[in-house]
Amino acid sequence: MAFWNLLNAIIIGQLCVFNVGGSEYNCLSLSSSLTCGECYIGWYGDYCDKACDCNPGGCNKVTGVCIQCQAGYYSTNCSQTCPPQCRESYDDRVFCGRTTGNCLEGCKQTWWGDKCEHKCGKQCNDSICFFYDGSCASGCVHGLTGTHCNKSCSAGCLGGNCRQLNGVCPRGCKTGFYGRTCDRRCTDKCQHKDCYTRIDRDRPTCTRGCIPRWKPPFCDIPCPPYCLSCTEAGVCTSCKKGFTGSRCEKRCNCRSSCSDDKLCDGCSDGWRGQTCELPCSKNCLICQQESGNCTACRQGFAYDGRSQCTPIIQVTTDEVPIPGQDSKVPVLIILIIVPLIIVAAVCILIYIRRRMSHQVSIRDPVTMPRNLEEQQELQIHSMCLAVQKSDSKSATSAQTSKSIQTTTCIASKQFRPESIEAKETSKSHPRQKTPTCHEQRL
């Protein structure tokens, strides 16, 4: 009977619940093996005899795993609640993935992540961020930039604030900085280090011009030498003192800067003329520009009234001797030097004489004095020569000088070295005693 009832149910396509062996079956359809092909929601198994609490989605007929859970639950049997930070959907209910538990509708404000487990950073405005990556959704707090607001704005931003995505300073740059993000410094060749950039170029232009000796507008190329300021074309507009020309290549001696017509309003010291091209006269320090008359001469010179500086002759009483008064300085010099010269001459003569006597004695040993008497005679002879020199210097009488000369000649004859034969002869005829110099004078 059961077989016919089951067959009838298949034929007419009606759903049925029947008992087999006292068990109630919840088949939605039958298979050829007389088992349930599908079960009613809330049942699973071959004969749909096992219940599953998976409303409203039901469960898998074979495994019993829930196909869909109720709002606010997940897991294989829908027993786990969804994370509390998941954003509510319609009817203020929370939906999350059945198997993972990931929030399907995003996160509440200030939370991000798959399960909304991360807190948004405080660097985000109002701590609001996107749930999928945590990037700030409402911009950054003051002074920060970047998608996650984790970078500082450039120190050159005016006001210290910049845009989140590109770091551009909305109010421009501070003095000394340039660029869209104000991250580059102006050159110190700009006046006050102030510069700016245009949209169509990246090279900074000095806002207030260049410092002296640098070419505008970028102030990165120097002006020609001796040029204090110049145009963009390199033409000098002012020169260093003492120079002129379109490139300050010519020297001038004007007191101030030279004009275009090269006429000078006053000359530097030592120069004259309309263009100060002529030097002042010799020894003149300052002269008049037109006349050349000297107004200041070198030390030791004075202006003579004819555009010349002549030497000044200084006469002092110390340099002019008083009439009738002899200078004592030359007398003292003579009294000191003359005796010294005499003494030196006598010493030199004595030395030479002794030297010669010594050399003769070495060459001829026979002529050397052989006894004490001859030695004494030689000493007397030397003393006579010294006396002769001294007496001649003291300007004694001519008779006395003649007597001394005679004495010297006699002494020199008596003490002149003799030959060997003369010496031998003198042995057989002894000579008489020769008087001394004093005796000869008498």
Side-chain angles (χ1 to χ4, degrees):
M1 183 65 182
F3 173 76
W4 289 108
N5 290 334
L6 181 60
L7 180 61
N8 184 50
I10 293 173
I11 293 173
I12 63 177
Q14 294 179 352
L15 297 178
C16 60
V17 176
F18 54 91
N19 292 326
V20 177
S23 297
E24 186 177 284
Y25 290 86
N26 297 288
C27 289
L28 185 60
S29 62
L30 292 176
S31 64
S32 58
S33 60
L34 300 179
T35 59
C36 294
E38 294 183 34
C39 300
Y40 284 108
I41 295 175
W43 298 90
Y44 74 97
D46 291 338
Y47 299 101
C48 300
D49 54 349
K50 299 177 181 179
C52 60
D53 188 12
C54 296
N55 292 327
C59 59
N60 185 278
K61 174 183 176 298
V62 178
T63 61
V65 174
C66 295
I67 298 174
Q68 186 176 355
C69 298
Q70 293 181 1
Y73 293 91
Y74 77 99
S75 72
T76 57
N77 56 2
C78 299
S79 60
Q80 301 290 331
T81 58
C82 294
Q85 291 82 22
C86 291
R87 187 166 65 93
E88 294 88 353
S89 184
Y90 59 90
D91 296 335
D92 296 331
R93 293 185 297 177
V94 175
F95 290 91
C96 60
R98 184 193 61 79
T99 58
T100 61
N102 295 342
C103 300
L104 300 179
E105 300 291 337
C107 304
K108 296 178 180 179
Q109 288 186 346
T110 73
W111 294 92
W112 71 279
D114 293 333
K115 292 182 172 61
C116 302
E117 71 275 20
H118 301 295
K119 186 76 174 175
C120 294
K122 294 181 179 181
Q123 69 272 17
C124 299
N125 274 336
D126 301 324
S127 296
I128 298 175
C129 62
F130 293 107
F131 74 92
Y132 47 83
D133 61 355
S135 59
C136 298
S138 300
C140 306
V141 297
H142 185 82
L144 296 178
T145 183
T147 55
H148 289 78
C149 300
N150 54 355
K151 298 178 183 179
S152 299
C153 295
S154 172
C157 284
L158 187 62
N161 200 20
C162 60
R163 293 175 181 155
Q164 177 185 1
L165 297 181
N166 52 20
V168 173
C169 304
R171 298 176 58 185
C173 302
K174 296 178 182 178
T175 300
F177 295 86
Y178 73 97
R180 298 186 66 208
T181 58
C182 304
D183 57 341
R184 286 181 281 184
R185 292 184 177 272
C186 300
T187 175
D188 56 358
K189 305 301 183 295
C190 292
Q191 288 282 5
H192 306 289
K193 297 183 180 180
D194 190 11
C195 65
Y196 67 94
T197 53
R198 298 176 180 175
I199 298 177
D200 58 343
R201 63 178 66 185
D202 199 26
R203 194 177 183 185
T205 300
C206 292
T207 307
R208 307 182 187 183
C210 307
I211 62 175
R213 302 180 182 179
W214 290 90
K215 185 187 299 185
F218 307 114
C219 305
D220 55 352
I221 300 176
C223 296
Y226 309 112
C227 186
L228 297 179
S229 60
C230 60
T231 63
E232 188 173 350
V235 177
C236 297
T237 56
S238 63
C239 298
K240 187 178 179 182
K241 183 179 179 180
F243 294 89
T244 185
S246 61
R247 299 180 63 84
C248 299
E249 75 281 6
K250 300 177 182 179
R251 284 187 173 271
C252 71
N253 299 305
C254 297
R255 185 177 299 277
S256 58
S257 59
C258 302
S259 59
D260 295 336
D261 54 5
K262 300 181 181 179
L263 297 179
C264 298
D265 184 13
C267 299
S268 300
D269 294 348
W271 297 91
R272 63 186 179 89
Q274 289 186 345
T275 59
C276 301
E277 78 283 3
L278 300 175
C280 296
S281 60
K282 186 177 181 181
N283 300 317
C284 180
L285 296 178
I286 303 174
C287 61
Q288 295 179 357
Q289 181 178 359
E290 296 181 1
S291 63
N293 293 336
C294 192
T295 58
C297 296
R298 295 183 185 276
Q299 186 176 3
F301 294 84
Y303 182 61
D304 61 357
R306 299 188 302 271
S307 70
Q308 297 293 329
C309 290
T310 57
I312 300 175
I313 301 177
Q314 297 180 355
V315 179
T316 61
T317 57
D318 295 338
E319 297 177 354
V320 179
I322 300 175
Q325 181 181 0
D326 296 333
S327 177
K328 297 180 180 180
V329 176
V331 176
L332 293 175
I333 294 175
I334 293 173
L335 292 177
I336 294 173
I337 294 178
V338 170
L340 292 176
I341 293 175
I342 294 172
V343 174
V346 172
C347 294
I348 292 172
L349 290 174
I350 293 173
Y351 174 77
I352 294 173
R353 182 68 65 179
R354 288 182 179 180
R355 186 75 176 175
M356 291 174 64
S357 300
H358 179 68
Q359 290 178 354
V360 172
S361 300
I362 294 175
R363 291 195 301 267
D364 190 3
V366 180
T367 62
M368 294 178 63
R370 297 182 180 181
N371 49 42
L372 180 61
E373 183 180 357
E374 291 184 1
Q375 293 179 0
Q376 293 176 353
E377 291 176 353
L378 288 173
Q379 293 178 358
I380 293 171
H381 175 63
S382 299
M383 293 173 62
C384 289
L385 291 175
V387 171
Q388 179 186 1
K389 297 290 185 180
S390 176
D391 291 342
S392 61
K393 296 294 182 177
S394 62
T396 57
S397 64
Q399 184 178 358
T400 304
S401 299
K402 186 175 181 181
S403 176
I404 292 173
Q405 292 175 359
T406 304
T407 303
T408 304
C409 293
I410 295 172
S412 64
K413 288 180 181 180
Q414 288 178 353
F415 302 124
R416 185 178 300 161
E418 300 176 352
S419 62
I420 298 176
E421 292 81 2
K423 288 291 182 177
E424 294 298 330
T425 306
S426 64
K427 290 181 180 180
S428 60
H429 301 85
R431 75 174 70 170
Q432 295 180 358
K433 181 180 179 182
T434 303
T436 64
C437 293
H438 181 68
E439 293 173 351
Q440 291 177 6
R441 289 183 180 180
L442 296 175

